[in-house]
């Protein structure tokens, strides 16, 4: 993993030198994911914030959605649920505007997980019902099973 991180850091540095913002954003995403996977959530947030800033500069909605999602997951892992919800709602808003149903389903699931952690069961159940309805509309059977399995554990 250290070799991978070293290559990724070099990629970020070279991207910055070449003013390759897209490459820099990809590298920041990779470094954020590496730190997230290692449980270094604050460091992951630092890279995901850079990824988000670059995506905003590029007006790249898909990369912004990915960064919002990842930031929400990292803040959730730190127990900072209000911030996590804010990022996941931004993720949901972008996926909705892009008509990206898989992303929208994922965002709804992430929000439901956070609401569950916050002990907000009433809102959690409402959201999972909406998620199940959407999964049925697009005939996403795997997501339907995921939602139903999760709902059984509420």
């Amino acid at each position: 993993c250290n070799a991978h991180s070293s290559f990724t850091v070099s990629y970020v540095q070279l991207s910055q030198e070449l003013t390759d913002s897209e490459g820099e954003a990809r590298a920041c995403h990779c470094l954020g994911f590496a730190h997230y996977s290692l449980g270094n959530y604050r460091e992951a947030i630092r890279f995901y914030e850079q990824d988000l800033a670059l995506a905003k500069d590029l007006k790249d909605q898909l990369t912004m959605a990915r960064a919002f999602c990842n930031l929400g997951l990292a803040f959730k892992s730190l127990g900072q649920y209000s911030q996590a919800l804010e990022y996941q709602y931004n993720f949901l808003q972008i996926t909705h505007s892009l008509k990206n149903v898989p992303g929208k389903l994922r965002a709804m699931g992430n929000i439901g997980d956070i609401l569950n952690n916050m002990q907000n069961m009433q809102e959690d159940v409402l959201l999972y019902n909406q998620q199940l309805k959407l999964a049925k509309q697009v005939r996403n059977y795997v997501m339907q099973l995921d939602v139903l399995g999760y709902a059984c554990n509420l």
Side-chain angles (χ1 to χ4, degrees), residues 64-144:
M64 286 172 55
R66 178 188 69 197
F68 279 128
C69 175
N70 292 333
L71 282 161
L73 294 173
F75 277 107
K76 176 186 166 231
S77 295
L78 289 172
Q80 295 178 12
Y81 300 128
S82 294
Q83 282 186 286
L85 271 178
E86 181 181 330
Y87 284 114
Q88 292 301 334
Y89 277 118
N90 283 317
F91 175 39
L92 178 62
Q93 181 181 15
I94 292 173
T95 57
H96 180 75
S97 71
L98 294 174
K99 297 181 179 18
N100 180 328
V101 175
K104 188 173 178 181
L105 287 167
R106 180 164 185 205
M108 293 170 84
N110 292 348
I111 293 167
D113 288 345
I114 296 165
L115 292 171
N116 186 26
N117 287 341
M118 296 173 77
Q119 302 297 311
N120 188 340
M121 298 309 191
Q122 187 175 2
E123 200 172 332
D124 189 19
V125 170
L126 288 173
L127 187 70
Y128 278 109
N129 282 328
Q130 292 173 2
Q131 187 184 25
L132 181 59
K133 182 179 176 182
L134 180 58
K136 285 180 179 180
Q137 285 174 351
V138 297
R139 300 187 195 293
N140 185 327
Y141 301 111
V142 173
M143 184 56 71
Q144 288 178 49

Side-chain angles (χ1 to χ4, degrees), residues 41-52:
Y41 304 120
R42 293 201 189 286
E43 195 66 13
I45 288 167
R46 188 171 74 83
F47 285 106
Y48 289 148
E49 286 174 338
Q50 289 177 27
D51 184 22
L52 178 60

Side-chain angles (χ1 to χ4, degrees), residues 22-35:
E22 289 176 19
E24 188 179 349
R26 277 191 303 275
C28 287
H29 166 75
C30 289
L31 284 167
F33 181 74
H35 283 285

